[in-house]
Amino acid sequence: MGLPLRITFKENDYVYQIINSKQINQHTTEFDILLNGDKVSLVKDEKSLWIQKDGAKSIDPELVHALGRSVSLRLRL
């Protein structure tokens, strides 16, 4: 996408960019974003919750889910 997107989570502002937006459609279950300059891979689990890929726990799981929902709502996933 290229445009910086913003999300407020627990009274903190985060800026992110979607890296692979050309491949995202309603069947997408995995995508990458840049969150404050760090690459984060998100994947939808069997419960349709967004989690970090490969079990990485460097970011709050609730924030990861909020980011996934934000992208889902913006791109109608």
Side-chain angles (χ1 to χ4, degrees):
M1 235 178 167
L3 296 173
L5 304 169
R6 295 176 55 117
I7 185 171
T8 301
F9 179 76
K10 292 187 180 179
E11 299 182 15
N12 292 318
D13 291 327
Y14 298 92
V15 177
Y16 68 95
Q17 289 180 322
I18 302 169
I19 297 174
N20 56 346
S21 64
K22 291 180 184 176
Q23 302 168 358
I24 295 177
N25 60 30
Q26 67 267 23
H27 304 293
T28 299
T29 58
E30 182 178 333
F31 58 88
D32 298 325
I33 62 171
L34 283 176
L35 176 63
N36 293 333
D38 297 325
K39 182 179 175 183
V40 178
S41 297
L42 303 179
V43 64
K44 193 181 273 191
D45 68 3
E46 62 277 351
K47 298 177 186 176
S48 295
L49 298 175
W50 291 101
I51 58 173
Q52 271 186 281
K53 187 175 179 182
D54 299 328
K57 304 266 184 186
S58 61
I59 300 174
D60 180 5
E62 292 178 13
L63 174 58
V64 172
H65 183 65
L67 287 164
R69 276 189 42 95
S70 175
V71 172
S72 295
L73 292 172
R74 289 177 191 270
L75 298 180
R76 300 177 189 250
L77 298 182

